[in-house]
Amino acid sequence: MEKTVALVAELMALSARTAPKSRGEDYLVLRVLTGEEVVRLGEAMIDYGKKTGKKNFDRDGDNVKRSTAVLLIGLKDAKPLGLNCGACGWDSCQALSSPQEGPEFKGPHCFWRAVDLGIAVGSAVKTASLHNVDNRIMYRAGVVARQLGLIEADVVLAVPLSASGKNIYFDRKE
C-alpha cells in the first residue's frame, strides 16, 4: 500500500503543477516525502511546538509521523502580478518587491500568487480524494518542513497522506 500512496502523492504533485495560475506563471515548488523524512518531519513538528509553546504542533506532528507520504507545496520568488489592486494590503505591487523573512515564512506575497497556491493545493487534494487517500492540508507541517530545509520555498503548505481503515486526520484531540 505504501507504493500506491507514494504514487498518489506524485499524481497530486502533477495536479498542483498543472493547476491554472495567474498569467500562466508558475512559482510553485513541490516535493514528496516518504519513509524516514516523514517521521523526521513529524518529530520536528512536536519539538517545534514544545520550543515555541504553539498549540497543536504536537497533535499534527503525531498525525504526520503516522502518515505514509507528505506532499509539500510552496511558493518561491513569486513576482507580484502587477495589478496594483491593493489586495495584499499595499497601495502598489512595488511594495512587494523585497519580501522579508518572518517568524515562519517569507512575505508578504501578492494576493493572486497566494490564490494560485490555493488552487494548486485544491487540485492536489482533489486528486487524493479521487484515489480514496485520506489527507489534510497542514500549515504547521509546512512551517517545520521549511525550517528543516526539506523544501526551498518562501511559504509552504503540507498535505500528509494515509490509507487505513480510519481517517487519522479527523476526530483528533483538540
Side-chain angles (χ1 to χ4, degrees):
M1 189 103 48
E2 289 180 19
K3 287 181 183 180
T4 304
V5 173
L7 174 60
V8 170
E10 293 292 340
L11 293 172
M12 292 168 65
L14 177 64
S15 293
R17 175 65 65 213
T18 60
K21 295 165 190 76
S22 301
R23 274 202 208 130
E25 297 171 347
D26 188 355
Y27 295 101
L28 289 182
V29 182
L30 304 160
R31 176 135 190 253
V32 174
L33 307 178
T34 58
E36 284 302 312
E37 285 183 314
V38 172
V39 175
R40 179 177 166 225
L41 175 59
E43 289 173 351
M45 290 172 66
I46 294 167
D47 290 343
Y48 182 81
K50 287 178 185 173
K51 288 179 193 169
T52 63
K54 289 193 171 188
K55 188 177 176 181
N56 293 328
F57 274 84
D58 55 342
R59 178 202 62 196
D60 289 354
D62 183 55
N63 279 156
V64 167
K65 282 176 30 178
R66 295 168 48 208
S67 299
T68 304
V70 176
L71 174 61
L72 303 175
I73 306 176
L75 286 176
K76 172 110 176 101
D77 299 329
K79 305 289 183 259
L81 201 55
L83 297 175
N84 294 324
C85 68
C88 65
W90 298 96
D91 291 337
S92 77
C93 294
Q94 188 66 24
L96 298 175
S97 62
S98 53
Q100 304 297 312
E101 193 63 45
E104 295 176 338
F105 296 121
K106 190 175 183 181
H109 290 276
C110 173
F111 172 83
W112 300 109
R113 300 307 181 188
V115 168
D116 292 346
L117 176 63
I119 292 169
V121 170
S123 292
V125 299
K126 170 214 54 169
T127 297
S129 176
L130 288 172
H131 294 284
N132 300 308
V133 176
D134 295 332
N135 65 88
R136 185 160 188 140
I137 301 166
M138 290 188 180
Y139 141 82
R140 293 176 187 92
V143 168
V144 176
R146 183 175 184 265
Q147 290 179 347
L148 289 174
L150 294 172
I151 188 169
E152 190 176 324
D154 300 327
V155 62
V156 181
L157 293 172
V159 185
L161 305 168
S162 173
S164 63
K166 182 183 181 320
N167 187 330
I168 65 173
Y169 308 114
F170 292 90
D171 299 327
R172 307 177 303 170
K173 299 177 204 167
E174 287 297 319

